[in-house]
Amino acid sequence: MIKKFIHQFASPKTYLYQVDRFYSYIFLFSIITYIISITWGLLYTPEDFVQGNSYRIIYLHVPASFLSQSLYIAMAISSVTYLIWRVKLAAYLVIAIAPIGAMTTFIALISGSIWGIPTWGTWWQWDARITSTLILFIMYLGLISLHNSFSNHEKADKLLSWLVIVGAINIPIIKKSVDWWSTLHQSASITLTDKPSIDPVMLYPLIGSITGFFGLVICLVLLSSKYQIFIREKNKSWVKDYV
Amino acid sequence: MFNFAFNSLYEALYMNGHGLYVWSVVILVFLSLLGFFIGYTIKIKKIKDKLNEPN
């Protein structure tokens, strides 16, 4: 029954029509939310007592870090879906998400390094959080290169899905690295279980910037997956009718 | 909550010496997003044109 449900609602054709239906709404909501939140955070929140104005990088760094891990989890879920139920769309999503994941991880690493200069006095430290995030970035690049090196798409999808699942072990390591090891990187300011350690004046624009960035990244994933569908289904008659 | 945190535009750009760090990250993020959006839009347009070509 689950298989029937998934296959019915996850056909590339249905997906493509749904993307077209919702894309502009998601994009509009996200871009407005992101611009308002970033402006609010950068120009309208008070200066931090300890870090001064450099803390404002939080409004760009945290959404990117959050998404870099979330996108990998989405890839892992898609990989499991593909391997168990053989849903083609799930395999397309895995390779569609990878470049976006690499981009968000790159932003997280570079913005963290830039933030590190005024805050820690160094742009790089081989501590657990930063190193595990660098590993995540290398994993994204490796997965993209590996997929591109195969001429047989189906073989590439299978191998990629297994590798993504194995690599998912890095996500809890990144998340818990600040608790398990002594690191320069601070602990999470926002968690699902505890009260946020950040003042509400600074917290609200942060939630807004995470929401806006999340939406924009979703839009990128929708575009990327649309491109993947065109590439992989180009010989199907429905694709020709669609374009 | 919505008071402008700086006295002038120059102060907002300079941010007591931290402006270079903050604004360079802003540029990095916006250029990355813009680059990806433009890149995928062009890629989709190209493949659509290719699919529309008569055989």
Side-chain angles (χ1 to χ4, degrees):
Chain A
M1 191 172 165
I2 298 171
K3 192 177 174 182
K4 195 181 167 190
F5 175 83
I6 290 175
H7 277 275
Q8 192 180 347
F9 289 97
S11 85
K13 187 181 172 183
T14 314
Y15 176 82
L16 213 54
Y17 282 102
Q18 294 304 324
V19 167
D20 288 345
R21 204 170 146 199
F22 294 109
Y23 178 83
S24 42
Y25 298 111
I26 302 172
F27 182 78
L28 210 65
F29 168 78
S30 308
I31 193 89
I32 291 170
T33 308
Y34 194 56
I35 288 174
I36 289 175
S37 306
I38 291 292
T39 311
W40 183 4
L42 292 178
L43 302 173
Y44 289 87
T45 54
E47 193 176 332
D48 184 67
F49 178 68
V50 181
Q51 296 188 35
N53 284 307
S54 70
Y55 97 92
R56 296 180 198 278
I57 294 175
I58 198 172
Y59 300 108
L60 302 138
H61 174 76
V62 170
S65 294
F66 173 70
L67 260 299
S68 66
Q69 294 163 48
S70 306
L71 287 174
Y72 198 93
I73 294 169
M75 278 172 71
I77 293 169
S78 296
S79 297
V80 172
T81 309
Y82 174 65
L83 290 173
I84 296 177
W85 291 292
R86 296 275 166 225
V87 177
K88 275 190 297 181
L89 181 64
Y92 301 167
L93 277 175
V94 175
I95 192 59
I97 293 171
I100 324 285
M103 184 263 289
T104 55
T105 315
F106 178 76
I107 293 174
L109 282 168
I110 300 294
S111 59
S113 287
I114 293 172
W115 197 359
I117 301 167
T119 313
W120 301 333
T122 180
W123 65 275
W124 188 263
Q125 185 77 33
W126 290 101
D127 85 346
R129 171 58 70 89
I130 304 168
T131 309
S132 52
T133 306
L134 178 66
I135 291 170
L136 180 68
F137 179 60
I138 295 168
M139 273 163 50
Y140 274 125
L141 295 185
L143 293 166
I144 298 165
S145 312
L146 185 83
H147 196 270
N148 291 342
S149 68
F150 275 80
S151 51
N152 182 334
H153 286 308
E154 215 166 289
K155 238 183 195 175
D157 289 340
K158 263 186 213 166
L159 184 66
L160 199 74
S161 298
W162 279 113
L163 285 174
V164 168
I165 293 166
V166 173
I169 189 73
N170 192 33
I171 300 300
I173 293 175
I174 296 174
K175 183 84 193 127
K176 285 286 174 190
S177 57
V178 285
D179 303 322
W180 290 342
W181 294 284
S182 169
T183 62
L184 258 182
H185 198 284
Q186 66 172 74
S187 311
S189 305
I190 313 170
T191 60
L192 288 173
T193 48
D194 300 318
K195 203 177 162 214
S197 60
I198 182 170
D199 192 273
V201 176
M202 296 165 175
L203 178 67
Y204 298 142
L206 180 60
I207 292 170
S209 64
I210 293 172
T211 310
F213 192 74
F214 185 87
L216 289 174
V217 166
I218 293 289
C219 288
L220 279 177
V221 171
L222 295 178
L223 285 181
S224 174
S225 53
K226 194 172 173 177
Y227 176 69
Q228 278 300 321
I229 291 171
F230 285 148
I231 291 278
R232 305 285 286 272
E233 308 261 321
K234 62 184 172 200
N235 295 326
K236 303 268 172 71
S237 59
W238 73 263
V239 172
K240 282 172 185 153
D241 294 340
Y242 173 86
V243 295
Chain B
M1 189 178 265
F2 291 103
N3 292 328
F4 195 61
F6 306 94
N7 293 319
S8 64
L9 184 66
Y10 172 77
E11 259 190 35
L13 289 172
Y14 185 63
M15 290 188 174
N16 287 331
H18 290 156
L20 180 67
Y21 307 114
V22 175
W23 294 112
S24 57
V25 174
V26 173
I27 292 167
L28 167 80
V29 172
F30 278 88
L31 285 184
S32 304
L33 285 173
L34 194 69
F36 267 70
F37 271 108
I38 293 173
Y40 279 118
T41 309
I42 292 172
K43 272 179 161 183
I44 289 170
K45 195 187 172 309
K46 270 187 183 170
I47 196 159
K48 270 186 173 178
D49 290 346
K50 208 174 167 185
L51 289 168
N52 273 327
E53 275 174 14
N55 290 326

